[in-house]
Amino acid sequence: MKSYDDLIAGYQRFRTGTWQTQHARWEELREGQSPKVMVIACSDSRVDPAQIFDVDPGEIFVVRNVAAMVPPFETSPGQHGVSAALEFAVQFLEVEHIVVMGHGLCGGCQAALTQSMHGRALGRGGFVAQWIAMLDEVREPIAREFGTTGREAERAMELAAVKKSLENLRTFPCVQEKEADGSLALHGAFFAISDGILHRLDETSGLFSAAG
């Protein structure tokens, strides 16, 4: 695994390599960004959206957090990081697509399923517990059918989390308006770490299928 010093060495290679060979691209990005796609993904180090979708800098606007979750639209005081990023992407960058990408072996989804962080103090798992409590509603039927351990239950939770985030996205007025007029499309996706296959959600059937 990389250390901080390894990252600095990587930066130095970037400065003498990609920065030079793609300098025209960086000059263009200096003037601003205009991505057409927003990707909401997990913070997990194994699922980098730019690598999975093979894109260059400036091509996707990315938000990453535990379990790739989108909270519902709320007007209560607080620090609404995901909501702020969503607002910026939709209202100011005017992205045309939002992709919610869950993934296999997601620790956040596993914790939501087992409730292993439940009751922990803030700073000792409590923040995680509060965040993944968004999945409590979808957890119940999964726990009844599959239990709370094993890959079948975990995969069901991982897929349900994508659907829940899409549902929460649609509570935002700006998303509702733009989806209704056809200027914004929402997509659900799931990346399987075990085999490297991306699955796409068909919201009509509710099923995920391999993208290729």
Side-chain angles (χ1 to χ4, degrees):
M1 296 296 106
K2 300 293 185 182
S3 67
Y4 179 68
D5 287 342
D6 291 329
L7 298 185
I8 297 303
Y11 156 73
Q12 292 167 344
R13 292 191 299 273
F14 161 75
R15 282 290 295 173
T16 58
T18 303
W19 174 259
Q20 301 298 328
T21 59
Q22 297 188 14
H23 197 66
R25 177 62 173 160
W26 291 105
E27 285 289 314
E28 179 184 340
L29 292 174
R30 187 175 65 177
E31 304 303 318
Q33 60 172 325
S34 56
K36 298 301 181 186
V37 179
M38 176 184 191
V39 179
I40 299 167
C42 186
S43 299
D44 193 300
S45 62
R46 298 166 292 180
V47 284
D48 177 10
Q51 185 175 38
I52 292 167
F53 293 114
D54 191 23
V55 294
D56 290 325
E59 293 187 320
I60 57 175
F61 184 79
V62 180
V63 171
R64 299 179 71 174
N65 62 57
V66 174
M69 292 303 301
V70 177
F73 178 76
E74 296 177 329
T75 57
S76 59
Q79 307 299 318
H80 301 290
V82 175
S83 301
L86 174 65
E87 180 181 73
F88 180 71
V90 172
Q91 299 288 59
F92 298 95
L93 294 178
E94 299 183 332
V95 296
E96 298 173 1
H97 301 270
I98 300 176
V99 180
V100 176
M101 186 180 73
H103 71 93
L105 305 175
C106 178
C109 287
Q110 183 186 52
L113 184 62
T114 62
Q115 296 189 329
S116 59
M117 299 290 180
H118 188 71
R120 299 247 185 134
L122 296 177
R124 296 183 179 276
F127 286 122
V128 174
Q130 288 184 1
W131 180 252
I132 59 177
M134 284 187 280
L135 293 173
D136 284 353
E137 180 184 343
V138 298
R139 172 191 180 274
E140 295 308 317
I142 292 170
R144 284 196 303 269
E145 183 175 358
F146 301 109
T148 59
T149 59
R151 277 307 298 148
E152 189 174 21
E154 291 168 1
R155 174 63 68 92
M157 193 71 191
E158 291 155 2
L159 300 180
V162 173
K163 295 177 183 179
K164 185 61 179 178
S165 283
L166 288 171
E167 177 185 320
N168 288 346
L169 271 173
R170 292 188 169 105
T171 66
F172 286 79
C174 61
V175 172
Q176 294 171 4
E177 294 166 8
K178 289 180 176 286
E179 189 176 29
D181 69 20
S183 60
L184 178 66
L186 306 186
H187 310 272
F190 174 85
F191 180 75
I193 289 177
S194 59
D195 56 20
I197 295 177
L198 184 76
H199 298 76
R200 301 166 65 183
L201 172 63
D202 178 340
E203 290 199 82
T204 301
S205 67
L207 301 177
F208 287 79
S209 60

